[in-house]
Amino acid sequence: MIKAAILGGSGYTGLEIMRLLAGHPEAEVIEFSSRKYTGQPVSSIFPSMAGHEYDSLVFKNPADLADTEADVVFLCLPHGAAMDIVPHFIERKKRVIDLSADYRLRDVAVYEEWYKEHSTKNLLADAVYGLPELHRDRIKDALIVANPGCYPTSAILGLSPIVEGGLVDPNSVIIDAKSGISGAGREASLKTAFCENYGGFEAYNVGLHRHTPEIEQELTLLAGKDVKVTFNSHLLPVSRGILSSIYADLTEPRTTAQIIETYKEFYAGEPFIRIMPEGTYPNISNLRCSNFCDIGLWVDEARGRLIVISAIDNLMKGASGAAVQNMNIQFELEETLGLTGLPAQLG
Amino acid sequence: MIKAAILGGSGYTGLEIMRLLAGHPEAEVIEFSSRKYTGQPVSSIFPSMAGHEYDSLVFKNPADLADTEADVVFLCLPHGAAMDIVPHFIERKKRVIDLSADYRLRDVAVYEEWYKEHSTKNLLADAVYGLPELHRDRIKDALIVANPGCYPTSAILGLSPIVEGGLVDPNSVIIDAKSGISGAGREASLKTAFCENYGGFEAYNVGLHRHTPEIEQELTLLAGKDVKVTFNSHLLPVSRGILSSIYADLTEPRTTAQIIETYKEFYAGEPFIRIMPEGTYPNISNLRCSNFCDIGLWVDEARGRLIVISAIDNLMKGASGAAVQNMNIQFELEETLGLTGLPAQLG
Amino acid sequence: MIKAAILGGSGYTGLEIMRLLAGHPEAEVIEFSSRKYTGQPVSSIFPSMAGHEYDSLVFKNPADLADTEADVVFLCLPHGAAMDIVPHFIERKKRVIDLSADYRLRDVAVYEEWYKEHSTKNLLADAVYGLPELHRDRIKDALIVANPGCYPTSAILGLSPIVEGGLVDPNSVIIDAKSGISGAGREASLKTAFCENYGGFEAYNVGLHRHTPEIEQELTLLAGKDVKVTFNSHLLPVSRGILSSIYADLTEPRTTAQIIETYKEFYAGEPFIRIMPEGTYPNISNLRCSNFCDIGLWVDEARGRLIVISAIDNLMKGASGAAVQNMNIQFELEETLGLTGLPAQLG
Amino acid sequence: MIKAAILGGSGYTGLEIMRLLAGHPEAEVIEFSSRKYTGQPVSSIFPSMAGHEYDSLVFKNPADLADTEADVVFLCLPHGAAMDIVPHFIERKKRVIDLSADYRLRDVAVYEEWYKEHSTKNLLADAVYGLPELHRDRIKDALIVANPGCYPTSAILGLSPIVEGGLVDPNSVIIDAKSGISGAGREASLKTAFCENYGGFEAYNVGLHRHTPEIEQELTLLAGKDVKVTFNSHLLPVSRGILSSIYADLTEPRTTAQIIETYKEFYAGEPFIRIMPEGTYPNISNLRCSNFCDIGLWVDEARGRLIVISAIDNLMKGASGAAVQNMNIQFELEETLGLTGLPAQLG
């Protein structure tokens, strides 16, 4: 049985990892931390977990996890906090799966431009961008798994087959992304208040979202040349789900059927990617609480443009589900373990 | 492996049984019917199931299930439709779990007053009201399991310990119940249209809800005397969840702590009942997609009145989860099999 | 033109008063305060008001309103803050409409039991409980209008005709109330966060809600004897609206039609009370953004019990709409001025 | 007093026109029709209107409006139904404001490609596309006002200043639009059912939406050359509101401030267009129930691309509000009459 610790367990991604490992046959959570809730049982914060054996555990002070007996440490900390603590766990031979942005950007200058000064730059080379569909082989032995951002996951999975194949001009790419509000985390804030969002819809961080360089990094790797995309994010008045509508100019004419075939080949054997039949498109409902990424495709032949609709659950394939998938890879388990539950279509 | 067939598989309860059996280690769905969708694969109606092995099955015409090889038949048909078909399956030695109201009321006159003429009255005596917490022993060998209504489940579980114990005057009972809209089924209707319900809240069928006699039947059995309750239902602008706020006059003074103790004793060992700590109350979010019934309690000592808050997921403990629990009992499996997933606290 | 000032203008009730007075032919807002947003234009906080002439005003420091030229001051401050500032405005001959609880309870001991020590007890006798349907005559000349609480408004309007008439036993009254989340105010808080409420529903402050004494005070006056009720509140996952389901034992048998007649007589001529036809019940959608109180009625003859469904918009008849109605009364204007807009049925 | 009749009054646009004219000082509804609800009072279908004088009217059979005394007829009928009835009213010298698509497309071939055969092609030349910001002068005397589609309104208003000015390449335009569900009308349908949409989000009619030619027609006029755009629509889980995120390549470098200035000049004096300050973007909440169109702008200088966020209330500026604005123009009233209510920021 793999033993897991969660640092920053009191946010939504921490809760989701607990939910997943509670149903995982080969892994279990042995402790979790929360500065804010130190000493409190999990069900006093997350009543959904009442009655579960994890409820006999209490939130610990992060410092008390320094000598954890866990085999793997999930870091659900704010951007900028993980990088200070990662060396400690690497020295102790823990597997580290970091859900923050701290090790996602290979180029430290880019990180520091969008975030802050990096305290452990030297470790960046040891981190692997944790998107199994692109980097499965390297994830297995990575010292640090840099779990991808939620928006980038939907965008990169939606674009990889055609950017790698050169089927579109990558610099024509426009990503219009919409996310449920859990993507903003579990903090008291007027921005995420119920009444400020119910019945509403807005664009935010227009042109300035920190997920842009992450998308560009991976697409640049796939394209083999510098890629700049337009990325725009919106706040959807639901709890979970990301849907990205992506537009790109085709380099030469192709039919929708041909493009669908390209995607099916690229993702052959991938357990969590579902390419939808022609004429149908994803709905975030249809993958709620699951690790699926659903992709729908349409070629606008008259305009020479491809539309890709790519959807995930931001807390699952966009965060905690991906983290568990990465853990499975690192420990050489069946990759879908603990992730086989069907979507809860009704929210 | 237990083989299951679902008649009326294209509604929300049918979908939910599929979702549950897809994760059940000892049972599987081998076929399902839908008059409306005959011949179509499940994922064309429920895209959430795309990629699952069940998607290789198609909806059959109900008549084509007459010679099913299933061991158990789940009837997800409208009230009044199940009673005509049940004898057929009983003769063929199938286990029958009926999610309609057709066999819930022992007194045929009451059934016919609230519903319609009963075509197979003679079978009523062979049916067991499928609430394991009250009738577990008789469910095991029942020819027909009459799966309880969603509102009655929340109300009866909320009241059993104190009605049986005579701690409250059962005729003082007022049940103010609120249900998510999936309780109204999956039919095109202006009543259940998005725009008619979003941001809204209303009482409906005031004083006339057909779940009233079902509640009274079970409370009468528990009380050992005739019970009449006031039951009132409301439509909550969410998909899933029922929360019943129940008021009853205490027969003699008791504290909240004493009442909580009574509930804990009554439900000792029950895997799906969670009695909440004093001062905390259920939220339908905290049991979403799970088979739990959460109960919170408070004694208004000044007024000699007890408040019970009882909550379930109407599609789970209120329908499909209970159906799977009953199947487990009938086939002498661990009762929680396929039902251990933690709630999806974020909807 | 009546000149109005709003203290605490950055909450939802302040915003709603601005919206109403923007459409009022005889009154206008000349200034508003917000400690938090001092110096900022209104549309930087409430973008809905962009382009309106009020947007040329900025939030002032509360202290800067000390010498306001306003004729009427709306106090949208937290409970306990209004009472310190009211004497100042009374001395300056301002009309004072206080939306907090500070002057609602005639018995200072009751106030201090539920809230805190009262700093200006001597003024309690000069305050009138601002429910025009009960106290219209006294509101006109009141030094202080104590604008009623939102829950109490729905409960008292729902009960007045039968409690005054002695048609029900007032001590049998149970009020099961449900409110949209704007009732909790406009503060950053995890309790009112989107993800903590979307798709959820819960009871809160069970048996301990501070609106209980306010309801009992008014019903006691109407009944002419001491009344104790059971009041229970729930958080509805919508922004606006309160619906109270009220249960009471009839003192002698009556039909639904008779009860409806009683209500129609009691509320004859009232512009904002709508008694619904037999067999129909309120939906908070149907009065959204309006000052209406809709009341539906049903007698359960078999159980000798009356069910009253009473609904309002908590920000309108439950707060700001009532405040404007009270202002109209005080300044001897047509009582419906600025309040004639039809409900926005679609939220 | 202008007398208005509404054909097809039982849908959401008909209801919204009633709501607006109820508050209009110079116009009133004298009758409305509904085949489905003939003979029923308006409040039995729309309880929000209970108590209003319009409630004394009943839905008439459409045929009974043939000899209406109305001065203006609002046609809220399905596409394809208006064109058969329009000649009748024109002959009788009624002003006709048609909310369907029947007279929006000047090129009958385009209409017939996207809709059906046109029965009164000869009248197309007499119709004016009812977007006052572009065609105010011609609306005044138009025999038929073809009230614009909801999506096209948001898109065309969002693009006009830069397409007319040649600041962007119109063929690079991508419109990613999201609409609340009331845009699908008031019909019983599984597609618009609550449970099928709550918590969900999807793209639909990808690349095939019938609003595309309408947008292209107007942009072609503005550009003075043939324009083809990519238009993509999504279903937002709210009742009201459209937000279009629009992307276009700049023909030469400009700053955000310059672009904002261009929009302000183009829309100078327009009462319903609000150009937002740099760095802020529209939220559909901020214009709910109002006739505003809010536009936010951002230039991605590195990529030479402009992002326009354009938002309206689909039932107001996108349908009924625009219809009333057009009526005001036709009858030479103040254009904002009946449309001055501030947005209901809280839904």
Side-chain angles (χ1 to χ4, degrees):
Chain A
M1 206 71 169
I2 299 159
K3 293 193 287 290
I6 304 171
L7 267 91
S10 68
Y12 294 133
T13 54
L15 169 62
E16 199 76 351
I17 293 174
M18 284 188 226
R19 185 177 75 84
L20 292 171
L21 294 194
H24 194 293
E26 304 282 347
E28 64 180 337
V29 180
I30 61 161
E31 55 190 348
F32 32 74
S33 73
S34 162
R35 189 161 277 123
K36 191 173 169 189
Y37 298 123
T38 300
Q40 300 191 45
V42 65
S43 72
S44 69
I45 309 309
F46 298 129
S48 61
M49 300 197 71
H52 190 271
E53 59 184 292
Y54 288 176
D55 196 24
S56 61
L57 307 171
V58 299
F59 286 107
K60 293 188 177 173
N61 193 299
D64 294 337
L65 266 63
D67 297 314
T68 183
E69 294 185 6
D71 305 301
V72 56
V73 178
F74 292 99
L75 301 179
C76 302
L77 301 168
H79 304 308
M83 61 187 175
D84 294 335
I85 208 169
V86 159
H88 174 89
F89 291 113
I90 289 181
E91 282 165 24
R92 280 154 189 77
K93 309 288 184 210
K94 308 298 180 190
R95 291 306 186 110
V96 173
I97 298 176
D98 176 18
L99 282 82
S100 85
D102 285 1
Y103 297 95
R104 290 182 199 153
L105 298 172
R106 286 177 186 78
D107 183 342
V108 70
V110 176
Y111 180 88
E112 295 188 341
E113 178 194 344
W114 289 85
Y115 294 90
K116 59 183 286 197
E117 200 190 335
H118 205 298
S119 64
T120 52
K121 314 183 210 301
N122 58 308
L123 287 175
L124 283 172
D126 296 317
V128 172
Y129 191 74
L131 199 59
E133 291 77 7
L134 295 185
H135 306 298
R136 182 171 282 116
D137 293 344
R138 296 177 53 230
I139 290 169
K140 192 171 150 291
D141 300 314
L143 280 187
I144 306 167
V145 175
N147 217 53
C150 49
Y151 283 126
T153 296
S154 73
I156 298 164
L157 290 176
L159 283 163
S160 293
I162 45 171
V163 168
E164 194 207 38
L167 279 67
V168 296
D169 169 7
N171 288 304
S172 73
V173 166
I174 290 168
I175 302 157
D176 189 281
K178 304 90 177 171
S179 173
I181 294 171
S182 63
R186 187 172 172 273
E187 291 297 325
S189 155
L190 209 46
K191 283 299 290 176
T192 56
F194 187 89
C195 293
E196 302 286 315
N197 288 284
Y198 188 69
F201 183 69
E202 65 176 331
Y204 70 100
N205 285 359
V206 176
L208 302 169
H209 201 289
R210 299 194 294 192
H211 281 168
T212 311
E214 197 178 323
I215 298 169
E216 291 177 343
Q217 165 181 288
E218 295 300 309
L219 296 185
T220 293
L221 278 175
L222 285 160
K225 63 174 179 184
D226 225 42
V227 172
K228 290 280 171 211
V229 301
T230 291
F231 173 76
N232 192 14
S233 52
H234 303 75
L235 210 49
L236 207 50
V238 302
S239 291
R240 293 167 174 258
I242 283 179
L243 187 142
S244 293
S245 305
I246 306 172
Y247 307 87
D249 294 342
L250 288 167
T251 47
E252 54 185 84
R254 286 178 211 264
T255 65
T256 301
Q258 287 171 327
I259 294 287
I260 287 178
E261 196 50 36
T262 300
Y263 276 72
K264 285 193 169 166
E265 281 169 21
F266 189 92
Y267 289 124
E270 283 299 342
F272 295 119
I273 311 288
R274 301 192 294 192
I275 307 303
M276 299 191 67
E278 186 164 348
T280 64
Y281 301 93
N283 187 323
I284 55 171
S285 287
N286 295 330
L287 41 77
R288 187 167 14 228
C289 300
S290 85
N291 205 42
F292 288 121
C293 175
D294 285 358
I295 298 175
L297 298 152
W298 189 72
V299 172
D300 182 346
E301 298 188 16
R303 291 166 192 76
R305 217 169 257 150
L306 172 65
I307 303 183
V308 183
I309 313 288
S310 170
I312 58 170
D313 182 326
N314 60 304
L315 292 178
M316 290 288 300
K317 186 66 179 164
S320 307
V324 170
Q325 186 180 359
N326 282 323
M327 180 198 78
N328 288 340
I329 293 170
Q330 291 214 309
F331 290 86
E332 302 186 53
L333 303 173
E334 181 73 35
E335 196 168 323
T336 58
L337 234 48
L339 298 168
T340 53
L342 279 179
Q345 189 176 325
L346 261 69
Chain B
M1 205 71 168
I2 298 160
K3 295 193 287 289
I6 303 171
L7 267 91
S10 68
Y12 294 132
T13 55
L15 169 62
E16 198 75 353
I17 293 175
M18 284 188 227
R19 184 176 75 85
L20 292 172
L21 294 193
H24 194 293
E26 303 281 347
E28 63 179 338
V29 180
I30 60 162
E31 55 190 348
F32 33 74
S33 74
S34 162
R35 188 161 278 122
K36 191 171 166 190
Y37 298 123
T38 300
Q40 300 190 45
V42 65
S43 71
S44 68
I45 310 308
F46 297 129
S48 62
M49 301 196 71
H52 190 270
E53 59 183 293
Y54 288 176
D55 196 23
S56 61
L57 307 171
V58 299
F59 285 107
K60 292 188 179 174
N61 192 297
D64 293 338
L65 265 63
D67 297 314
T68 182
E69 292 184 8
D71 304 301
V72 57
V73 178
F74 292 100
L75 302 179
C76 301
L77 302 168
H79 304 308
M83 61 187 176
D84 295 335
I85 208 169
V86 159
H88 174 88
F89 290 113
I90 289 182
E91 282 165 24
R92 277 154 192 78
K93 310 288 185 210
K94 308 298 183 192
R95 290 308 185 108
V96 173
I97 297 176
D98 176 18
L99 282 81
S100 85
D102 286 2
Y103 296 95
R104 290 182 199 153
L105 297 172
R106 286 177 187 78
D107 183 341
V108 70
V110 175
Y111 179 88
E112 296 188 341
E113 178 193 342
W114 289 84
Y115 294 89
K116 58 182 286 196
E117 201 190 335
H118 206 297
S119 64
T120 52
K121 312 184 211 305
N122 58 308
L123 287 175
L124 284 172
D126 296 317
V128 171
Y129 191 76
L131 200 59
E133 291 77 7
L134 295 184
H135 305 298
R136 182 171 284 113
D137 293 343
R138 296 177 54 229
I139 289 168
K140 190 172 150 290
D141 299 314
L143 281 187
I144 307 167
V145 174
N147 216 56
C150 50
Y151 282 127
T153 296
S154 74
I156 298 164
L157 290 175
L159 282 163
S160 293
I162 45 171
V163 169
E164 194 207 39
L167 278 67
V168 296
D169 170 7
N171 288 304
S172 72
V173 167
I174 290 168
I175 301 157
D176 190 282
K178 304 91 178 170
S179 174
I181 294 172
S182 62
R186 187 170 172 275
E187 292 296 326
S189 155
L190 208 45
K191 283 299 291 177
T192 55
F194 187 89
C195 292
E196 302 286 314
N197 288 284
Y198 188 70
F201 183 69
E202 65 176 331
Y204 71 100
N205 285 358
V206 176
L208 302 169
H209 201 288
R210 299 195 295 192
H211 280 168
T212 312
E214 198 177 323
I215 298 169
E216 291 177 341
Q217 165 181 287
E218 295 300 307
L219 296 186
T220 292
L221 279 173
L222 286 161
K225 65 175 179 184
D226 225 43
V227 173
K228 291 279 170 213
V229 300
T230 291
F231 173 76
N232 192 14
S233 51
H234 304 74
L235 210 48
L236 207 50
V238 302
S239 291
R240 294 167 173 257
I242 284 179
L243 187 143
S244 293
S245 304
I246 306 173
Y247 307 87
D249 294 342
L250 288 167
T251 47
E252 54 185 84
R254 286 178 211 266
T255 64
T256 300
Q258 288 171 326
I259 293 287
I260 287 177
E261 195 51 35
T262 300
Y263 275 72
K264 285 194 168 164
E265 283 170 19
F266 189 91
Y267 289 124
E270 285 298 343
F272 296 119
I273 311 288
R274 301 193 294 192
I275 307 303
M276 299 190 67
E278 188 164 348
T280 64
Y281 302 93
N283 187 324
I284 55 171
S285 287
N286 295 331
L287 40 77
R288 187 167 14 228
C289 300
S290 85
N291 206 42
F292 288 121
C293 175
D294 285 358
I295 299 175
L297 298 151
W298 189 73
V299 173
D300 182 347
E301 298 188 14
R303 292 167 190 77
R305 215 169 259 150
L306 172 65
I307 302 184
V308 183
I309 313 288
S310 169
I312 58 171
D313 182 326
N314 60 304
L315 291 178
M316 288 291 298
K317 187 64 180 165
S320 306
V324 170
Q325 186 180 0
N326 282 321
M327 180 198 77
N328 288 341
I329 293 171
Q330 291 215 309
F331 289 86
E332 301 186 53
L333 303 172
E334 183 72 35
E335 197 168 321
T336 58
L337 235 48
L339 298 168
T340 52
L342 278 180
Q345 189 177 324
L346 261 70
Chain C
M1 207 68 169
I2 299 159
K3 294 193 288 289
I6 303 172
L7 267 91
S10 68
Y12 294 132
T13 55
L15 168 63
E16 199 76 351
I17 292 174
M18 285 188 226
R19 184 176 76 85
L20 292 171
L21 294 193
H24 194 293
E26 303 282 348
E28 64 179 337
V29 180
I30 60 161
E31 55 190 347
F32 32 76
S33 74
S34 162
R35 188 160 279 122
K36 192 173 168 189
Y37 299 122
T38 299
Q40 300 190 44
V42 66
S43 72
S44 69
I45 310 307
F46 298 129
S48 61
M49 301 197 71
H52 190 270
E53 59 184 292
Y54 288 177
D55 197 23
S56 62
L57 307 171
V58 300
F59 286 107
K60 293 189 176 172
N61 192 298
D64 293 338
L65 267 61
D67 297 314
T68 182
E69 294 184 7
D71 305 299
V72 57
V73 178
F74 292 99
L75 302 179
C76 302
L77 302 167
H79 305 306
M83 60 188 175
D84 295 336
I85 208 169
V86 160
H88 173 89
F89 291 113
I90 289 181
E91 282 165 25
R92 279 154 190 77
K93 309 288 185 209
K94 308 298 181 190
R95 291 304 186 110
V96 174
I97 298 176
D98 176 17
L99 283 81
S100 85
D102 286 2
Y103 296 94
R104 291 182 198 152
L105 297 172
R106 288 177 186 77
D107 182 342
V108 70
V110 174
Y111 179 88
E112 295 188 341
E113 178 193 341
W114 289 85
Y115 295 90
K116 59 182 286 197
E117 201 190 335
H118 205 297
S119 63
T120 52
K121 313 184 211 302
N122 58 308
L123 287 175
L124 283 173
D126 296 317
V128 172
Y129 191 76
L131 199 59
E133 292 77 8
L134 295 186
H135 306 298
R136 181 170 283 115
D137 293 344
R138 297 178 52 230
I139 290 168
K140 191 172 151 290
D141 299 314
L143 280 187
I144 307 168
V145 175
N147 216 54
C150 49
Y151 282 126
T153 295
S154 74
I156 297 164
L157 290 176
L159 282 161
S160 293
I162 45 171
V163 168
E164 195 208 37
L167 279 67
V168 296
D169 170 8
N171 288 303
S172 73
V173 166
I174 290 168
I175 301 157
D176 189 282
K178 303 90 179 170
S179 173
I181 293 171
S182 63
R186 187 171 173 275
E187 291 297 326
S189 154
L190 209 46
K191 284 300 291 177
T192 56
F194 186 89
C195 292
E196 303 287 314
N197 288 285
Y198 188 69
F201 183 69
E202 66 176 330
Y204 71 100
N205 285 358
V206 177
L208 302 170
H209 200 288
R210 299 194 295 191
H211 281 168
T212 312
E214 197 178 324
I215 297 168
E216 290 177 342
Q217 165 181 288
E218 295 300 308
L219 296 185
T220 292
L221 279 173
L222 286 160
K225 65 174 178 184
D226 225 44
V227 173
K228 290 280 170 210
V229 302
T230 291
F231 173 76
N232 192 15
S233 52
H234 303 75
L235 211 48
L236 207 50
V238 302
S239 290
R240 292 167 174 258
I242 283 180
L243 188 143
S244 293
S245 305
I246 306 173
Y247 306 87
D249 294 342
L250 288 167
T251 48
E252 52 185 84
R254 286 177 211 266
T255 65
T256 301
Q258 288 171 326
I259 294 287
I260 286 178
E261 196 49 37
T262 299
Y263 275 73
K264 286 193 168 164
E265 283 170 19
F266 189 92
Y267 289 123
E270 284 298 343
F272 296 119
I273 312 287
R274 301 192 294 192
I275 307 303
M276 299 190 66
E278 187 164 347
T280 65
Y281 302 94
N283 187 324
I284 54 171
S285 288
N286 295 331
L287 41 76
R288 187 168 13 229
C289 299
S290 85
N291 205 42
F292 288 121
C293 174
D294 285 358
I295 299 176
L297 297 152
W298 188 73
V299 172
D300 182 348
E301 298 187 15
R303 292 168 190 75
R305 217 169 258 149
L306 172 65
I307 303 183
V308 183
I309 312 288
S310 170
I312 58 170
D313 181 325
N314 60 303
L315 291 179
M316 290 288 299
K317 186 65 179 164
S320 307
V324 170
Q325 186 180 359
N326 283 321
M327 180 197 78
N328 288 340
I329 293 171
Q330 291 213 311
F331 289 87
E332 300 186 53
L333 303 172
E334 182 74 34
E335 197 169 321
T336 58
L337 235 47
L339 299 168
T340 52
L342 278 180
Q345 189 177 322
L346 260 69
Chain D
M1 204 71 167
I2 298 159
K3 293 193 288 290
I6 304 171
L7 267 91
S10 68
Y12 294 132
T13 55
L15 168 63
E16 198 76 351
I17 292 175
M18 285 189 226
R19 184 175 76 85
L20 292 171
L21 294 194
H24 194 292
E26 303 283 347
E28 64 180 336
V29 180
I30 61 161
E31 53 191 348
F32 32 75
S33 74
S34 163
R35 190 161 276 121
K36 191 172 167 189
Y37 298 122
T38 299
Q40 300 191 44
V42 65
S43 73
S44 68
I45 309 307
F46 297 129
S48 61
M49 300 196 70
H52 191 270
E53 59 183 293
Y54 289 177
D55 197 22
S56 62
L57 307 171
V58 299
F59 285 107
K60 293 188 176 173
N61 192 299
D64 294 338
L65 265 63
D67 297 314
T68 182
E69 294 184 7
D71 304 300
V72 57
V73 179
F74 292 99
L75 301 179
C76 302
L77 301 168
H79 304 308
M83 60 188 175
D84 295 334
I85 209 169
V86 159
H88 174 89
F89 291 114
I90 289 181
E91 283 164 25
R92 278 154 192 78
K93 309 288 185 210
K94 307 297 181 191
R95 290 306 186 108
V96 174
I97 298 176
D98 176 17
L99 282 81
S100 84
D102 285 3
Y103 296 94
R104 290 181 200 153
L105 297 173
R106 288 177 186 77
D107 183 342
V108 70
V110 175
Y111 179 87
E112 296 188 340
E113 177 193 342
W114 289 84
Y115 294 90
K116 58 182 287 197
E117 201 189 336
H118 205 297
S119 63
T120 52
K121 315 184 208 304
N122 58 309
L123 288 174
L124 284 172
D126 297 316
V128 172
Y129 191 75
L131 199 59
E133 291 77 6
L134 296 186
H135 306 298
R136 182 170 283 114
D137 294 344
R138 296 178 53 231
I139 290 169
K140 192 173 149 290
D141 299 314
L143 281 188
I144 306 168
V145 174
N147 216 55
C150 49
Y151 283 126
T153 296
S154 73
I156 297 164
L157 290 176
L159 282 162
S160 293
I162 45 171
V163 169
E164 195 207 39
L167 279 67
V168 296
D169 170 6
N171 288 304
S172 74
V173 167
I174 290 168
I175 302 157
D176 188 283
K178 305 89 177 171
S179 173
I181 294 172
S182 62
R186 188 172 172 272
E187 292 296 325
S189 153
L190 208 46
K191 283 299 290 177
T192 56
F194 186 89
C195 292
E196 302 286 315
N197 288 285
Y198 188 70
F201 183 68
E202 65 177 331
Y204 71 100
N205 285 359
V206 176
L208 302 170
H209 200 289
R210 300 194 296 193
H211 281 166
T212 312
E214 198 177 324
I215 297 168
E216 290 176 342
Q217 164 181 287
E218 295 301 309
L219 297 185
T220 292
L221 279 173
L222 286 160
K225 64 174 178 183
D226 225 42
V227 173
K228 291 280 171 212
V229 301
T230 291
F231 173 74
N232 192 15
S233 52
H234 304 74
L235 210 49
L236 207 49
V238 303
S239 290
R240 294 167 174 257
I242 283 180
L243 187 143
S244 293
S245 304
I246 305 172
Y247 306 87
D249 293 343
L250 288 166
T251 47
E252 52 186 85
R254 286 179 210 267
T255 65
T256 300
Q258 288 171 325
I259 293 287
I260 287 177
E261 196 49 36
T262 299
Y263 274 73
K264 286 194 167 165
E265 282 169 20
F266 188 92
Y267 289 124
E270 285 298 342
F272 296 119
I273 311 287
R274 302 192 294 192
I275 307 302
M276 299 190 66
E278 186 163 348
T280 65
Y281 302 94
N283 187 323
I284 55 170
S285 288
N286 295 332
L287 40 77
R288 187 166 16 228
C289 300
S290 85
N291 206 43
F292 288 121
C293 175
D294 284 358
I295 298 175
L297 297 151
W298 189 72
V299 172
D300 181 347
E301 299 188 15
R303 291 167 190 77
R305 216 169 258 149
L306 172 65
I307 302 184
V308 182
I309 312 288
S310 170
I312 58 169
D313 182 325
N314 60 303
L315 292 178
M316 289 291 298
K317 187 65 179 165
S320 307
V324 171
Q325 186 180 358
N326 282 320
M327 181 197 77
N328 288 340
I329 293 171
Q330 290 214 309
F331 290 87
E332 301 185 56
L333 303 174
E334 181 73 34
E335 195 168 322
T336 58
L337 234 46
L339 297 168
T340 52
L342 278 180
Q345 189 177 325
L346 261 68

